[in-house]
Amino acid sequence: MLGIFHFLPEFLVRGRSDFALKWRSRKSSPHGPILENLRQQFIAFSVDAGVLRFGEFITKAGRTSPYFFNAGLFNDGATLGRLADFYAQTLIDSGVEFDMLFGPAYKGITLASATAVALAAKGRNVPFAYNRKEAKDHGEGGTIVGAPLKGRVVIIDDVISAGTSVRESVDLIRAAGATPAAVLIALDRMERSGADGALSANSAVQEVGAAYGMPVVSIANLNDLLSFISAGGNAELTKHRDAVAAYRQRYGVSGA
């Protein structure tokens, strides 16, 4: 049975990784300069944790991607705690007004729970809830676990691909009489959806924001990733810059 720590990988596990850099936790980056920007810190952290890798990977859409972000590899207490701190700080900095958090099963369950803990540590104690994939017909019953859905609710997930979990979450929140306030994700790939030759003008993130009239806030995005590996302080990272830039040129949304 799938537990609350089960994450579905963002990319199919089919491909080769040239490397997964391992950086030590320290104030200064091996790139040289101290990383002051939260978004850049998150990219560095993701590389350090082996969550963000570079090489050749086949995505669910069948594209050959030069990078791979797999949030399932934030799989120990230390990395989950730091990830939650990034989520919490990003949400606070966004200025989004909210009353509680919601984590769509299964990935979002752990993310929302951990983010609630991180927010409380920052002085903002808010309730959270999550859904079951199948309704429970005994005990408390129903599909919602945790606090009742009330007020302005932020949906927390790792990425947005097709937007299915967001749509289901919005339906659940509205059915309870609450208001979806925003979606908070880890990485915005800024990729147009659709098959080659029939690419849409917008990314899944943009389409979700437009469809539900709410902001989609990301800790970092593809531009942050490219800026990070273009810094030139690490030869192993820099050698993937052209491949990532070419991928962005081919699939990135306008202005990416």
Side-chain angles (χ1 to χ4, degrees):
M1 183 175 70
L2 294 172
I4 67 170
F5 289 95
H6 177 78
F7 289 81
L8 296 177
E10 171 54 24
F11 292 99
L12 296 176
V13 186
R14 177 159 58 97
R16 67 178 173 80
S17 174
D18 290 344
F19 70 102
L21 290 180
K22 297 296 182 182
W23 294 339
R24 301 292 181 263
S25 295
R26 56 177 108 178
K27 291 184 179 180
S28 61
S29 162
H31 294 265
I34 294 175
L35 298 173
E36 300 290 353
N37 184 290
L38 186 74
R39 303 171 77 88
Q40 297 292 300
Q41 289 174 12
F42 178 70
I43 298 297
F45 165 59
S46 298
V47 174
D48 185 29
V51 171
L52 178 58
R53 305 180 182 189
F54 298 88
E56 293 181 359
F57 304 91
I58 306 301
T59 73
K60 291 179 180 179
R63 300 171 182 173
T64 300
S65 172
Y67 72 96
F68 172 30
F69 182 82
N70 181 3
L73 297 178
F74 290 122
N75 56 14
D76 61 43
T79 56
L80 179 61
R82 191 169 179 209
L83 172 64
D85 193 64
F86 278 109
Y87 271 105
Q89 192 61 52
T90 298
L91 182 54
I92 291 170
D93 292 346
S94 73
V96 169
E97 296 184 353
F98 65 99
D99 300 303
M100 67 176 296
L101 310 178
F102 179 80
Y106 292 97
K107 298 173 291 181
I109 296 175
T110 301
L111 296 176
S113 305
T115 301
V117 174
L119 283 169
K122 295 176 182 294
R124 182 72 193 276
N125 186 31
V126 297
F128 71 93
Y130 58 90
N131 67 303
R132 298 185 178 96
K133 286 289 188 180
E134 297 179 0
K136 187 177 180 182
D137 59 5
H138 59 281
E140 72 277 17
T143 59
I144 303 299
V145 182
L149 293 170
K150 293 180 180 179
R152 298 160 297 189
V153 185
V154 172
I155 301 164
I156 300 187
D157 218 333
D158 59 346
V159 295
I160 293 177
S161 296
T164 303
S165 68
V166 174
R167 182 178 65 253
E168 293 173 349
S169 299
V170 167
D171 289 344
L172 287 169
I173 292 166
R174 287 178 175 171
T179 303
V183 182
L184 177 62
I185 59 174
L187 183 68
D188 178 1
R189 297 196 313 272
M190 305 177 74
E191 261 181 60
R192 292 185 290 166
S193 57
D196 286 6
L199 295 173
S200 66
N202 299 319
S203 69
V205 165
Q206 292 172 325
E207 290 170 354
V208 163
Y212 301 109
M214 62 181 175
V216 178
V217 180
S218 65
I219 302 174
N221 60 33
L222 180 57
N223 286 342
D224 299 310
L225 187 160
L226 187 57
S227 294
F228 184 78
I229 66 175
S230 298
N234 188 298
E236 285 298 307
L237 280 173
T238 303
K239 75 180 185 180
H240 295 279
R241 177 183 57 200
D242 291 345
V244 174
Y247 189 80
R248 182 179 66 171
Q249 178 66 30
R250 183 173 183 179
Y251 294 113
V253 293
S254 177

